[in-house]
Amino acid sequence: MTAPTHDQPLVTVLIACYNHAAYVEASIMSVLNQTYPNIELLVIDDGSQDDSVTVLSALQARHGFDLQVQENQGLSRTLNAGIARARGTLIVPFGSDDIMLPHRIATQVSYLAEKPEVGACSANVETIDHHGQVMGAREQRHRDLPFRRLEFDDLFLGRKPGPSAATLMFRREALQRVGGFNPEIRLEDIYITLAILRAGYYIDVLGEVLAQYRDHPTNTFKNGRFMIDNVLRTYAEFSDHPDYERVCMRFRNSMFLKFAKNNKPLARETLKQIPLRHWNRKTVRGLFRLLAPRPPQHPS
C-alpha cells in the first residue's frame, strides 16, 4: 500500500471469525492487499472451536493487525463491539470466509465521496466454492446485476435485488443513527440494511463485482430454520408497515418452496403458517414437490 493522504478517509474493516480456520487467511490477506492505503483492520475471533485462533495468531504476528479473542457473543454483538473501537468514518463488516478484490475499498470510497445521502454502498459478488474455485453460471445470481439505488420499500417489498453482505460499506454516522446491529437478531445484514433505509438513507449497489462470496456447507442461508426465524424476527421490527403481513407471507411461501423437496418437516411446518388467502404459485409448486414420491433407492 502507498501512504495515505489527508483526503483519504480511514476505513475500518471488521472481520468476525467463527470456525473458519480453512478460509480466514484468504479473507484477511485480501484486505491487506487492497490498493487503498488507509485501512484499519480489526479481527475478532468469536469463540471458535476449530483452529481459527492458531491461524489468526500466526497471521497477526506476521502482519500486525488488531486481533481480539473472546468467548462466543454472536455476530451482531461482536460487530457492535468492533464498531465501538473502530476509528474509521467508513465501516466494512467482512465475512471471514469471503475475499475482497484488490480495488474494492478504493472503488467504494471514491463512489461515496460527496454522497452524504447514501448510508451504505454495496456491489456485485462472484460465487466461489469452498476450494476457492469460481462456480458455474447457474450459481452466479449476483454477478451481473445492474446498478440500483435502494429505498426502504425497494428492499422490504422485494421490488429490487438487495445488497450483498459481502460488499457492504457503511457510513459510521448511519450505523450510529440506527443504534448499530440488533443483538437479538443473528442474521445481521438484512436488519441493518432495512434499518438504515428506514432512517432515510439510500443504499447504492454498484453494478460491478468487488468481492467473491464463498459457498460452503456451513453457509448461514443453508440453515432453513435459522433463516426463517431470523428473517421473520427482522421483519417484525418493521411491523408498522402497511404491507407487513404480505411481506411475511411472501417470505414464508418462498421458504416453503425452497425446502419442500429436501426438508419436508420444515416445509410442512411453514405451510401451516400460510393462510389459504396468501397461497400463490410458489405454494402450489411447493405442494407438488412436497407430495412427489421419493425416487427409488437402488442398492449400492
Side-chain angles (χ1 to χ4, degrees), residues 156-157 235 243-252:
F156 194 63
L157 302 180
Y235 289 162
D243 287 317
Y244 167 68
E245 182 182 19
R246 182 167 66 88
V247 167
C248 291
M249 292 304 162
R250 180 195 66 199
F251 173 71
R252 284 193 169 101

Side-chain angles (χ1 to χ4, degrees), residues 13-282:
V13 178
L14 297 172
I15 295 181
C17 179
Y18 180 70
N19 290 344
H20 279 167
Y23 313 126
V24 70
E25 180 171 0
S27 175
I28 287 174
M29 293 308 300
S30 75
V31 178
L32 297 176
N33 290 329
Q34 288 294 295
T35 61
Y36 188 77
N38 203 13
I39 294 176
E40 172 188 51
L41 175 58
L42 306 182
V43 181
I44 307 165
D45 185 85
D46 188 33
S48 292
Q49 302 299 309
D50 63 359
D51 293 329
S52 292
V53 173
T54 300
V55 173
L56 291 171
S57 296
L59 287 167
Q60 195 277 336
R62 291 201 301 271
H63 301 289
F65 53 82
D66 185 298
L67 172 62
Q68 287 199 350
V69 177
Q70 65 185 30
E71 296 295 322
N72 184 260
Q73 300 293 318
L75 183 54
S76 293
R77 287 185 174 87
T78 299
L79 291 176
N80 283 340
I83 293 166
R85 292 195 299 117
R87 295 181 294 115
T89 57
L90 297 170
I91 307 291
V92 176
F94 191 58
S96 54
D97 49 353
D98 298 328
I99 296 173
M100 294 185 184
L101 298 191
H103 60 289
R104 179 233 163 132
I105 299 296
T107 299
Q108 291 182 287
V109 170
S110 175
Y111 180 80
L112 284 173
E114 309 302 327
K115 295 184 181 68
E117 75 279 8
V118 180
C121 174
S122 180
N124 289 341
V125 295
E126 180 176 65
T127 304
I128 58 176
D129 65 18
H130 64 289
H131 296 298
Q133 300 299 309
V134 177
M135 299 183 72
R138 295 180 65 179
E139 287 80 20
Q140 302 295 339
R141 293 173 296 173
H142 304 284
R143 186 169 63 183
D144 302 311
L145 298 175
F147 171 88
R148 54 207 180 274
R149 167 162 285 192
L150 302 176
E151 300 180 7
F152 181 83
D153 278 2
D154 293 326
L155 190 57
F156 194 63
L157 302 180
R159 293 173 176 172
K160 298 177 183 178
S164 166
T167 56
L168 280 167
M169 174 181 284
F170 296 96
R171 292 193 187 279
R172 184 191 190 97
E173 64 188 55
L175 290 172
Q176 292 174 330
R177 184 169 174 181
V178 301
F181 294 87
N182 187 330
E184 303 304 319
I185 297 175
R186 296 170 60 198
L187 194 65
E188 78 294 341
D189 56 305
I190 299 177
Y191 168 78
I192 198 66
T193 50
L194 284 170
I196 285 174
L197 291 168
R198 173 60 74 90
Y201 292 98
Y202 296 110
I203 294 178
D204 286 359
V205 186
L206 308 183
E208 62 180 294
V209 171
L210 291 181
Q212 291 180 316
Y213 170 80
R214 193 183 298 271
D215 186 307
H216 57 80
T218 59
N219 287 128
T220 300
F221 78 90
K222 295 180 181 178
N223 184 334
R225 190 172 299 281
F226 176 91
M227 285 291 297
I228 292 172
D229 289 349
N230 280 277
V231 170
L232 291 175
R233 187 173 297 176
T234 297
Y235 289 162
E237 295 293 312
F238 308 97
S239 59
D240 58 335
H241 192 282
D243 287 317
Y244 167 68
E245 182 182 19
R246 182 167 66 88
V247 167
C248 291
M249 292 304 162
R250 180 195 66 199
F251 173 71
R252 284 193 169 101
N253 272 300
S254 294
M255 292 297 98
F256 171 60
L257 175 60
K258 178 180 177 67
F259 296 109
K261 183 176 181 180
N262 297 319
N263 191 340
K264 293 183 185 295
L266 181 58
R268 292 190 184 97
E269 180 182 320
T270 303
L271 180 62
K272 291 178 181 178
Q273 298 168 344
I274 306 173
L276 189 61
R277 69 181 182 277
H278 286 290
W279 283 27
N280 58 27
R281 292 181 180 180
K282 289 186 176 181

